[in-house]
Structure formats: C-alpha cells, structure tokens
Amino acid sequence: MKSIRGHTQAGSLACIGIGITLGSHLTPLARSHIEQADVVFLAASDGIVEKWIESLHTDVRSLQPFYAANKSRNKTYREMVNAILAQVRAGQKVCAAFYGHPGVFAWAPHEAIRIARKEGYAAHMEPGISAEDCLYADLGIDPGTFGCQHYEAGQLLFYKRRIDPSAYLVLWQVGALGDQGRGAAHSATHLAYRKILIERLARDYPRTHKITIYRAATLPIHAPRIERIALRRLADADIEGADTLVIPPARKLEPDIRALGRLARLEQASA
Amino acid sequence: MIVTPRLRLRALALRDMALFRALYCDPGTMRHIGKPLSRAVAVASLRATVAATRKPAGLRFFVIAECQSRRGVGLCSLRPAAWDKRGIELGIMLVHTARRHGYAREAFAALINYAFRALPIDTIWVQYRRANAGMARLCDILGFEGNFLPRSGTSVRRCVRIRRDRNGAVFSNQPTRGITMSNIIGFLEQAGSNAAMRHASREALLRTMQDKEIENVLRQPHRSLLDDLTGARETMYCKNTAIAPPKQKAPAKKKPAKKTPAKKPAKKAPAKRKR
C-alpha cells in the first residue's frame, strides 16, 4: 500500500550535511534528522567531529572503515551505498550524515537516494554548509562579481575545458591529484601531476600570477588556511587532501561590443 | 521536598502525566535512554512508577520544577543499585527547553547531598551511554570517577561513582575537572556554536581553555594527545568522489581484408566493325 506521499516501503533515508566546522554549521533540521533517526551513518572529515556526532545519537556508524589505502574508491563508495541501503531496506529510519554538503563532491549520497527512490523508499537530501561556502566568507569573494568556475583538479587535466581567466577559478581536490581513484598516490606522482597542472594553467595565466591555497577550519579554535603563492611555486607547495586552489581573475572583463550594440538598439526601439 | 536556589524537587505523582509523556515519548530526550514510549504505554508506566515509589526503601522519583514558575522541567530518580548493597543509582531527564541552564547540575548536586544525608548508602552510581556527552560532562564536573564496566545494558554504557567522604562530610559540589573527551568535545561545540566564543580573540579563547584545563591538549601542534584523549580516529579519508581519467579507446585492429573473388575478366565486347 502506498503512503500519502506515494512511498511504498517502510524505511526511509535522509542524506544530510553537517557542515565543515564543529558546532558551527549543523543546522537545526540536520540535528533533528540525526536525533530522530534509528541509525546514523557518518562520513566526517575529522576524528573529533566524528566523536562529536557520536555524542548526538546512540547508533552512529562511521563510513571510514570502508576506505583503505590502494582500494578502489569506486568500490568504497559502492560499499557505503550498500551499507546505507541495507538499513533502509530493513525498515529503519536512516540518516546518512556527510561533512560539508552531502551533494557536493560526494557520489554515495546521490546514488543512495537514487536507488532508494527507485525501490519505493522515501529519500531526500538536506543541504549543508560546504567548503565552497566557507571559501567565499573567508576569502571575501563574491562569485557574482566576476563569475566563478569550479573544477575538480584531475578533471581539468583529463578533459579539454575552456578556462575563462576573467573569472575566478576554484580547483578542488588538488591534494588528491594522481591517485587515479585508488585512494593513495606516490608523492612523486603527485608532484608530476602538479607540474602538468601548472603547465595547463600557464596556458591561461602568467606563471607569476598569485594564487591562494585555501582550507576551511574544521575545529572552531583553528583559523582557515589562506596562503598566497605564485603559480610557478605550486609544485613546491605543501598541499594536503583538504586544500583547494583559488585562482583570481588575470584579465579584465571584456565587453561584448556586438551584444551591447544589439541591446542598445533594443532599448532605443522600446523607448 | 528538596529545594535549591532555582528548583524544587518533589515526589512524582499521577498528575504529572503531561511531563512524563513530554519526556518519555520524545525521541530527542530518549535518544540516550531507549526507544520512546507510546502515549498509552507512558500512562501505564507512570502508574507503575508511582506505585513503585510508595514501597519503603525502594525507588524514589522526583519531579524537577522551577521555583518561580512551578513548571515541571524534568524528572530525576534514585534507585537501589542491584550490584551494591550500600549503593544507589542516580538518573535524570530534562525537557528540551530546560537544558543548558545548569538545572541538571543543580538538581544532581542537591540529590547527591540528600542521598548521602538521608539514606544508608556509601556510593552513588550513574550509568549512561558513552555517546551521551552531556551526562559525561555533568559527571566529570560533579566529581564522579572511574570507568567501570556497565552493570546493565551493553558495552556502550559507562558506569561512574561518587563515594561518601571518609570523614563523614557530605558531597561538597566542588567540581573536580579532569581532561576527558566530554569536556573537550563540549568546549569545542560551545566554541563553534557561541558567537562570542567563535569570534573571540585568541587570548580570550586561551583563557577559557585554561579555565577548563584543556589548553595543553588543544594547543598541541600535533594532535596525537587530543586524538588519544578523545579516542578519535587518526587517519581520516575525506574524498567522497573519484574522478578517473577517461578510458582511451584502443586503436582499432586492422581486420584482414576479405578475399574478394577475383573479378572475372569482363568479356570484351566484340569490336564493332568499322564500317
């Protein structure tokens, strides 16, 4: 029998974001999802954050054990989805909590929701404060001013992408460059990939262009990492998994004369 | 009746049904205790509890009420510890709106004083789920000690005790602070959620850490001590999406050319005779 919302099965899934900073970003709704769930699955970015969420519910199951060095990430994510869905199928009210926003750079929440809905379970996503949100606040960037492009660093290398150097460019997961989806890469591989990244960026930016290495604060007593270096120094920089590259515009916005002319004629016609 | 500066602790009665339901039927309140009761079960449970409190030397259940408003904000209990003839077990529940006001500490301290003064006991026990950071913090502050195996329930529970002073003095309510997971997590949660603390100067934050005696732990350049104390996982994997390079198509193998039957030489048309 279908429920009033059209769900045919008893279990349910809510994928929520717990934000980045411990204690600061958990929304009242996300907290309520955690408190009211039968089972909570957790993918946190910090062991202390994991402990904190464990204090909010009696049955918090970390997704960290699914990761392993040299294990295929795709396999890890599939196992996460299976573990979450097994509880949904058992009729439980499941909350899957992911650090940041559960739908940003996270494969498992989208996939778990897709499968759960397909099987007739109620499933939805609650947004969380992502590292991107922290980045705008900490660096004082308004993406509306010049525009902002976001790419996964590896993807920028693998595919032909058009970079607009008159807008901001944000590159995510730079610290994971070269791991080929297997969770760990040799430092030499990282370095080699980073050198290729510099060459790729140098097509659109001068090598002396100042870029920012950014990392949001996970604990409220810490400050965010904001380090400015020249693009050519990127290979030597100390970059970790949670670091992001922010490349400010290198060119002025170029007016589109033809479009402006057409718009002006449109204005005159309507005046 | 036990009276504290802000609270009155009076015996539980059948008229406290609304408060009893507000606590035992609320998933948020029950998250560290057990499955919430249905409304019907709560009625039966209240009757059974009130009946049990009427037996001598048995369970004692108190309503925690605000002195000013006389509003019931929680329940606390004293029950004989099954494993300790000279011990008693303490428990407390507060409605959501009454938390973070220091009521639990005030009620607990008063109850401990009352128990040591009025009952033939030497030890007061508290059992709570390890995930219950609020209760862990409260027990730390009030001076409960030990980390005993759970007397009931599962291994997710922690059992602590406080003993009567050998000199016969009653409980002093002086906080004895140790560096524990609960006060570190509690401090961090407060620092993250309190606007004044979140944007406090470094000096102000350090002073607060010093007050809570956790400065040394949180100021460690390497987090090993912090992780040890909180039992936090050291290695954390953060990446939740994997973008692999596109699979390159292997160059197509050249298929051996099919042998086409040799064309028969076209028959030559007979040459036209020139005329």
Side-chain angles (χ1 to χ4, degrees), chain B residues 175-246:
Chain B
T176 56
R177 287 171 180 153
I179 300 170
T180 63
M181 180 198 98
S182 57
N183 56 19
I184 291 170
I185 300 277
F187 168 78
L188 290 172
E189 187 178 11
Q190 205 186 356
S193 57
N194 181 324
M197 280 180 79
R198 183 76 181 93
H199 303 290
S201 67
R202 189 170 170 75
E203 290 71 29
L205 212 54
L206 281 175
R207 272 199 301 278
T208 315
M209 286 192 220
Q210 281 164 358
D211 286 348
K212 293 180 181 289
E213 296 178 12
I214 54 177
E215 181 206 6
N216 292 341
V217 180
L218 291 176
R219 287 188 75 188
Q220 288 273 321
H222 302 290
R223 289 196 4 182
S224 54
L225 186 56
L226 179 63
D227 290 338
D228 278 354
L229 276 165
T230 54
R233 211 183 292 272
E234 282 179 31
T235 308
M236 295 293 286
Y237 294 90
C238 300
K239 205 178 160 193
N240 282 330
T241 187
I243 293 176

Coordinates of all heavy atoms in Angstrom, one line a residue, chain B residues 175-246:
Chain B
P175 N 33.6 21.2 41.8 CA 34.0 20.5 40.6 C 35.4 19.9 40.6 O 36.3 20.6 41.0 CB 33.8 21.5 39.5 CG 33.9 22.8 40.1 CD 33.4 22.6 41.5
T176 N 35.6 18.7 40.2 CA 36.9 18.2 40.0 C 37.0 17.9 38.5 O 36.5 17.0 38.0 CB 37.0 16.8 40.8 OG1 36.0 16.0 40.3 CG2 36.9 17.0 42.3
R177 N 37.8 18.7 37.9 CA 37.9 18.6 36.4 C 39.1 17.8 36.0 O 40.2 18.1 36.4 CB 37.9 20.0 35.8 CG 36.6 20.8 35.9 CD 36.8 22.2 35.5 NE 35.6 22.9 35.6 CZ 35.5 24.2 35.8 NH1 36.6 24.9 36.0 NH2 34.4 24.8 35.9
G178 N 38.8 16.9 35.2 CA 39.9 16.2 34.6 C 39.8 16.4 33.1 O 38.7 16.8 32.6
I179 N 40.8 16.1 32.3 CA 40.8 16.3 30.9 C 40.1 15.0 30.3 O 40.7 13.9 30.4 CB 42.2 16.5 30.3 CG1 42.8 17.7 30.9 CG2 42.1 16.6 28.8 CD1 44.2 17.9 30.6
T180 N 38.9 15.1 29.9 CA 38.2 14.0 29.3 C 37.7 14.4 27.9 O 37.6 15.5 27.6 CB 37.1 13.5 30.2 OG1 36.2 14.6 30.2 CG2 37.5 13.2 31.6
M181 N 37.3 13.3 27.3 CA 36.7 13.5 25.9 C 35.5 14.5 26.0 O 35.4 15.4 25.2 CB 36.2 12.2 25.4 CG 35.6 12.3 24.0 SD 34.6 10.9 23.6 CE 33.0 11.5 24.0
S182 N 34.7 14.3 27.1 CA 33.4 15.1 27.1 C 33.7 16.5 27.3 O 33.0 17.3 26.7 CB 32.5 14.5 28.3 OG 33.2 14.6 29.5
N183 N 34.7 16.9 28.1 CA 34.8 18.4 28.3 C 35.6 19.0 27.1 O 35.4 20.2 26.8 CB 35.4 18.8 29.6 CG 36.7 18.2 30.0 OD1 37.4 17.7 29.1 ND2 37.0 18.2 31.3
I184 N 36.4 18.2 26.4 CA 37.0 18.7 25.1 C 35.9 18.9 24.1 O 35.8 20.0 23.5 CB 38.1 17.8 24.6 CG1 39.3 17.8 25.6 CG2 38.6 18.2 23.3 CD1 40.3 16.8 25.4
I185 N 35.1 17.9 23.8 CA 34.1 18.0 22.8 C 33.1 19.1 23.2 O 32.7 19.8 22.3 CB 33.4 16.6 22.6 CG1 34.4 15.5 22.2 CG2 32.2 16.7 21.6 CD1 34.7 15.4 20.8
G186 N 32.8 19.1 24.5 CA 31.8 20.1 24.9 C 32.3 21.5 24.7 O 31.6 22.4 24.2
F187 N 33.6 21.7 25.0 CA 34.2 23.0 24.8 C 34.2 23.4 23.3 O 33.8 24.5 22.9 CB 35.7 23.0 25.3 CG 36.4 24.3 24.9 CD1 36.2 25.5 25.5 CD2 37.3 24.2 23.8 CE1 36.9 26.6 25.1 CE2 38.0 25.3 23.4 CZ 37.8 26.5 24.0
L188 N 34.6 22.4 22.4 CA 34.6 22.7 21.0 C 33.3 23.0 20.5 O 33.1 23.9 19.6 CB 35.3 21.5 20.3 CG 36.8 21.3 20.5 CD1 37.2 20.0 19.9 CD2 37.6 22.5 19.9
E189 N 32.3 22.3 20.9 CA 30.9 22.5 20.5 C 30.4 23.9 20.9 O 29.8 24.6 20.1 CB 29.9 21.5 21.1 CG 28.5 21.6 20.5 CD 27.6 20.5 21.0 OE1 27.9 19.8 22.0 OE2 26.5 20.4 20.4
Q190 N 30.8 24.3 22.1 CA 30.4 25.6 22.6 C 31.2 26.7 21.8 O 30.6 27.7 21.4 CB 30.8 25.7 24.1 CG 30.0 26.8 24.8 CD 30.4 27.0 26.2 OE1 31.3 26.3 26.7 NE2 29.8 27.9 26.9
A191 N 32.5 26.4 21.6 CA 33.3 27.4 20.8 C 32.7 27.6 19.4 O 32.8 28.6 18.8 CB 34.7 27.0 20.8
G192 N 32.2 26.5 18.8 CA 31.7 26.6 17.5 C 30.3 27.2 17.4 O 29.9 27.8 16.4
S193 N 29.5 27.1 18.4 CA 28.1 27.5 18.3 C 27.8 28.8 19.1 O 26.8 29.4 18.9 CB 27.2 26.4 18.9 OG 27.5 26.1 20.2
N194 N 28.8 29.3 19.9 CA 28.6 30.5 20.6 C 29.3 31.6 19.9 O 30.5 31.6 19.7 CB 29.1 30.4 22.0 CG 28.9 31.6 22.9 OD1 29.0 32.7 22.4 ND2 28.7 31.4 24.1
A195 N 28.5 32.6 19.4 CA 29.0 33.7 18.5 C 30.2 34.4 19.3 O 31.2 34.8 18.6 CB 27.9 34.7 18.1
A196 N 30.0 34.7 20.5 CA 31.0 35.4 21.3 C 32.3 34.6 21.3 O 33.4 35.2 21.2 CB 30.6 35.7 22.7
M197 N 32.2 33.3 21.5 CA 33.4 32.5 21.6 C 34.0 32.2 20.2 O 35.2 32.2 20.0 CB 33.1 31.1 22.2 CG 33.1 31.2 23.7 SD 32.7 29.6 24.4 CE 34.3 28.8 24.3
R198 N 33.1 32.1 19.2 CA 33.6 31.8 17.8 C 34.5 32.9 17.3 O 35.4 32.7 16.5 CB 32.4 31.6 16.9 CG 32.7 31.2 15.5 CD 33.2 29.7 15.4 NE 33.5 29.3 14.1 CZ 34.7 29.4 13.6 NH1 35.7 29.8 14.3 NH2 35.0 29.0 12.3
H199 N 34.2 34.1 17.7 CA 34.9 35.3 17.2 C 35.7 36.0 18.3 O 36.1 37.1 18.2 CB 34.0 36.2 16.4 CG 33.3 35.5 15.3 ND1 33.9 35.1 14.2 CD2 32.0 35.1 15.2 CE1 33.0 34.5 13.4 NE2 31.8 34.5 14.0
A200 N 36.0 35.2 19.4 CA 36.7 35.8 20.5 C 38.2 36.0 20.1 O 38.7 35.3 19.2 CB 36.6 34.9 21.7
S201 N 38.9 36.8 20.8 CA 40.3 37.0 20.5 C 41.0 35.7 20.9 O 40.5 34.9 21.7 CB 40.9 38.2 21.3 OG 40.9 37.9 22.7
R202 N 42.2 35.5 20.4 CA 43.0 34.3 20.7 C 43.3 34.3 22.2 O 43.2 33.2 22.8 CB 44.3 34.4 19.9 CG 45.1 33.1 20.0 CD 46.3 33.1 19.0 NE 47.1 32.0 19.3 CZ 46.9 30.8 19.0 NH1 45.7 30.5 18.4 NH2 47.7 29.8 19.2
E203 N 43.5 35.4 22.8 CA 43.8 35.5 24.3 C 42.6 35.0 25.1 O 42.7 34.3 26.0 CB 44.2 36.9 24.7 CG 45.6 37.4 24.2 CD 45.6 37.6 22.7 OE1 44.5 38.0 22.1 OE2 46.7 37.5 22.1
A204 N 41.4 35.5 24.7 CA 40.2 35.2 25.4 C 39.9 33.7 25.3 O 39.5 33.0 26.3 CB 39.0 36.0 24.8
L205 N 40.2 33.2 24.1 CA 39.9 31.7 23.9 C 40.9 30.9 24.7 O 40.5 29.9 25.3 CB 40.1 31.4 22.4 CG 39.3 30.3 21.8 CD1 37.8 30.5 22.1 CD2 39.5 30.2 20.3
L206 N 42.1 31.4 24.8 CA 43.1 30.7 25.6 C 42.8 30.7 27.1 O 42.9 29.7 27.8 CB 44.5 31.3 25.4 CG 45.2 30.9 24.1 CD1 46.5 31.7 24.0 CD2 45.6 29.4 24.1
R207 N 42.2 31.8 27.5 CA 41.8 31.9 28.9 C 40.7 30.9 29.2 O 40.8 30.2 30.3 CB 41.4 33.3 29.3 CG 42.5 34.3 29.7 CD 41.9 35.5 30.4 NE 40.9 36.3 29.6 CZ 41.3 37.2 28.7 NH1 42.6 37.4 28.5 NH2 40.4 37.8 28.0
T208 N 39.8 30.8 28.3 CA 38.7 29.8 28.5 C 39.2 28.4 28.6 O 38.8 27.6 29.4 CB 37.6 30.0 27.4 OG1 37.4 31.3 27.2 CG2 36.4 29.2 27.7
M209 N 40.2 28.2 27.7 CA 40.8 26.8 27.7 C 41.5 26.6 29.0 O 41.5 25.5 29.5 CB 41.8 26.7 26.5 CG 41.1 26.6 25.2 SD 42.4 26.1 24.0 CE 42.0 27.1 22.6
Q210 N 42.2 27.6 29.5 CA 42.9 27.4 30.7 C 42.0 27.1 31.9 O 42.2 26.3 32.7 CB 43.7 28.7 31.1 CG 45.0 28.8 30.3 CD 45.6 30.2 30.3 OE1 45.1 31.1 30.8 NE2 46.8 30.3 29.6
D211 N 40.8 27.9 31.9 CA 39.8 27.6 32.9 C 39.3 26.2 32.9 O 39.1 25.6 33.9 CB 38.6 28.5 32.7 CG 38.9 30.0 33.1 OD1 40.0 30.2 33.7 OD2 38.1 30.9 32.7
K212 N 39.2 25.7 31.7 CA 38.7 24.3 31.6 C 39.8 23.3 31.6 O 39.6 22.1 31.5 CB 37.9 24.2 30.3 CG 36.6 25.0 30.3 CD 35.8 24.8 29.0 CE 34.5 25.7 29.0 NZ 33.5 25.2 30.0
E213 N 41.0 23.8 31.8 CA 42.2 22.9 31.9 C 42.4 22.0 30.7 O 42.8 20.9 30.8 CB 42.1 22.1 33.2 CG 42.2 22.9 34.5 CD 42.0 22.1 35.7 OE1 42.2 20.9 35.6 OE2 41.8 22.7 36.8
I214 N 42.1 22.5 29.6 CA 42.3 21.8 28.3 C 43.2 22.5 27.4 O 43.4 22.0 26.2 CB 40.9 21.5 27.6 CG1 40.1 22.8 27.4 CG2 40.1 20.5 28.4 CD1 38.9 22.6 26.6
E215 N 43.8 23.5 27.8 CA 44.7 24.3 27.0 C 45.8 23.5 26.4 O 46.1 23.6 25.2 CB 45.2 25.5 27.8 CG 46.1 26.4 27.0 CD 47.1 27.2 27.9 OE1 47.1 26.9 29.1 OE2 47.8 28.0 27.3
N216 N 46.5 22.7 27.3 CA 47.6 21.9 26.9 C 47.3 20.9 25.8 O 48.1 20.7 24.9 CB 48.2 21.2 28.1 CG 48.8 22.1 29.1 OD1 49.1 23.3 28.7 ND2 49.0 21.6 30.3
V217 N 46.1 20.4 25.8 CA 45.7 19.4 24.8 C 45.4 20.1 23.5 O 45.8 19.7 22.5 CB 44.4 18.7 25.3 CG1 44.0 17.7 24.3 CG2 44.6 18.1 26.7
L218 N 44.6 21.2 23.6 CA 44.2 21.8 22.3 C 45.3 22.6 21.6 O 45.2 22.9 20.5 CB 42.9 22.7 22.5 CG 41.7 21.9 22.9 CD1 40.5 22.8 23.2 CD2 41.3 21.0 21.8
R219 N 46.3 23.0 22.4 CA 47.4 23.8 21.8 C 48.5 22.9 21.2 O 49.5 23.4 20.8 CB 47.9 24.8 22.8 CG 47.0 25.9 23.0 CD 47.6 27.0 23.9 NE 48.5 27.8 23.1 CZ 49.3 28.7 23.7 NH1 49.3 28.9 25.0 NH2 50.2 29.4 23.0
Q220 N 48.4 21.6 21.4 CA 49.4 20.7 20.8 C 49.6 21.0 19.3 O 48.6 20.9 18.6 CB 49.0 19.3 21.1 CG 49.1 18.8 22.5 CD 50.5 18.4 22.8 OE1 51.1 17.7 22.1 NE2 50.9 18.7 24.0
P221 N 50.8 21.1 18.9 CA 51.0 21.3 17.4 C 50.5 20.1 16.6 O 50.0 20.1 15.6 CB 52.5 21.6 17.2 CG 53.1 21.2 18.5 CD 52.1 21.3 19.6
H222 N 50.8 18.9 17.2 CA 50.4 17.7 16.6 C 49.2 17.2 17.4 O 49.2 17.3 18.7 CB 51.5 16.6 16.6 CG 52.7 17.1 15.8 ND1 52.6 17.3 14.5 CD2 53.9 17.6 16.2 CE1 53.8 17.8 14.1 NE2 54.6 18.0 15.1
R223 N 48.2 16.6 16.8 CA 47.0 16.3 17.5 C 47.0 15.0 18.2 O 45.9 14.5 18.7 CB 45.9 16.4 16.5 CG 45.6 17.7 16.1 CD 44.2 17.9 15.4 NE 43.4 16.7 15.4 CZ 42.2 16.6 14.9 NH1 41.8 17.7 14.3 NH2 41.5 15.5 14.9
S224 N 48.1 14.3 18.4 CA 48.1 13.0 18.9 C 47.5 12.9 20.3 O 46.7 12.0 20.6 CB 49.5 12.4 18.9 OG 50.4 13.3 19.6
L225 N 47.8 13.9 21.1 CA 47.3 13.9 22.5 C 45.8 14.1 22.5 O 45.1 13.4 23.2 CB 48.0 15.0 23.3 CG 47.7 15.0 24.8 CD1 47.9 13.7 25.5 CD2 48.4 16.2 25.5
L226 N 45.4 15.0 21.7 CA 43.9 15.3 21.5 C 43.2 14.0 21.0 O 42.2 13.6 21.6 CB 43.7 16.4 20.6 CG 42.3 16.9 20.3 CD1 41.6 17.4 21.5 CD2 42.3 17.9 19.2
D227 N 43.7 13.4 20.0 CA 43.1 12.2 19.5 C 43.1 11.0 20.5 O 42.2 10.3 20.6 CB 43.8 11.8 18.2 CG 43.5 12.8 17.0 OD1 42.5 13.5 17.1 OD2 44.3 12.8 16.1
D228 N 44.2 10.9 21.2 CA 44.3 9.9 22.3 C 43.2 10.1 23.3 O 42.5 9.1 23.7 CB 45.7 10.0 23.0 CG 46.7 9.2 22.2 OD1 46.3 8.6 21.2 OD2 47.9 9.3 22.5
L229 N 43.1 11.3 23.8 CA 42.1 11.6 24.8 C 40.7 11.4 24.4 O 39.8 10.9 25.1 CB 42.3 13.0 25.3 CG 43.4 13.2 26.4 CD1 43.7 14.6 26.6 CD2 42.9 12.6 27.7
T230 N 40.4 11.8 23.2 CA 39.0 11.7 22.7 C 38.7 10.4 22.1 O 37.6 10.0 21.8 CB 38.7 12.8 21.7 OG1 39.7 12.7 20.6 CG2 38.8 14.2 22.3
G231 N 39.8 9.6 21.9 CA 39.6 8.3 21.2 C 39.3 8.5 19.7 O 38.7 7.6 19.1
A232 N 39.7 9.6 19.2 CA 39.3 9.9 17.8 C 40.2 9.1 16.8 O 41.3 8.8 17.2 CB 39.5 11.4 17.5
R233 N 39.6 8.8 15.7 CA 40.4 8.1 14.6 C 41.5 9.0 14.1 O 41.3 10.2 13.9 CB 39.4 7.9 13.5 CG 39.6 6.6 12.7 CD 38.6 6.6 11.6 NE 37.2 6.4 12.1 CZ 36.7 5.2 12.3 NH1 37.4 4.1 12.1 NH2 35.5 5.1 12.8
E234 N 42.7 8.5 13.9 CA 43.8 9.3 13.5 C 43.7 9.6 12.0 O 43.9 10.7 11.5 CB 45.1 8.7 13.9 CG 45.5 8.9 15.3 CD 46.8 8.2 15.7 OE1 47.6 8.1 14.8 OE2 46.9 7.7 16.8
T235 N 43.6 8.5 11.2 CA 43.5 8.7 9.8 C 42.1 8.8 9.3 O 41.3 8.0 9.6 CB 44.2 7.4 9.1 OG1 45.4 7.2 9.7 CG2 44.3 7.6 7.6
M236 N 41.9 9.9 8.6 CA 40.6 10.2 8.1 C 40.6 10.4 6.6 O 41.5 11.1 6.1 CB 40.0 11.5 8.7 CG 39.7 11.4 10.2 SD 38.4 10.2 10.7 CE 36.9 11.1 10.2
Y237 N 39.8 9.7 5.9 CA 39.7 9.8 4.5 C 38.6 10.8 4.2 O 37.5 10.7 4.8 CB 39.4 8.5 3.8 CG 40.6 7.5 3.9 CD1 40.6 6.6 5.0 CD2 41.6 7.5 2.9 CE1 41.7 5.7 5.1 CE2 42.6 6.6 3.0 CZ 42.6 5.7 4.1 OH 43.7 4.8 4.2
C238 N 38.9 11.8 3.3 CA 37.9 12.8 3.1 C 37.2 12.8 1.7 O 36.1 13.3 1.6 CB 38.5 14.2 3.3 SG 39.2 14.5 4.9
K239 N 38.0 12.3 0.8 CA 37.5 12.4 -0.6 C 36.2 11.5 -0.8 O 36.3 10.3 -0.5 CB 38.6 12.0 -1.5 CG 38.5 12.5 -2.9 CD 39.6 12.1 -3.7 CE 39.3 12.2 -5.2 NZ 40.3 11.5 -6.1
N240 N 35.1 12.1 -1.2 CA 33.9 11.4 -1.4 C 33.5 11.2 -2.9 O 32.4 10.8 -3.2 CB 32.8 12.0 -0.6 CG 32.9 11.7 0.8 OD1 33.4 10.7 1.2 ND2 32.4 12.6 1.7
T241 N 34.4 11.6 -3.7 CA 34.1 11.4 -5.2 C 35.4 11.1 -5.9 O 36.4 11.7 -5.5 CB 33.4 12.6 -5.8 OG1 33.0 12.3 -7.1 CG2 34.2 13.9 -5.8
A242 N 35.4 10.2 -6.8 CA 36.6 9.9 -7.5 C 36.4 10.1 -9.0 O 35.4 9.7 -9.6 CB 36.9 8.4 -7.3
I243 N 37.3 11.0 -9.6 CA 37.1 11.3 -11.0 C 38.3 10.6 -11.7 O 39.5 11.0 -11.5 CB 37.0 12.8 -11.2 CG1 35.7 13.3 -10.6 CG2 37.1 13.1 -12.7 CD1 35.5 14.7 -10.7
A244 N 38.0 9.6 -12.4 CA 39.1 8.9 -13.1 C 39.2 9.4 -14.5 O 38.3 10.0 -15.1 CB 38.7 7.4 -13.1
P245 N 40.4 9.3 -15.1 CA 40.6 9.7 -16.5 C 39.7 8.9 -17.4 O 39.4 7.8 -17.1 CB 42.1 9.5 -16.7 CG 42.5 8.5 -15.7 CD 41.6 8.7 -14.5
P246 N 39.4 9.5 -18.5 CA 38.5 8.8 -19.5 C 39.3 7.6 -20.1 O 40.5 7.6 -20.2 CB 38.2 9.8 -20.6 CG 39.3 10.8 -20.5 CD 39.7 10.8 -19.0

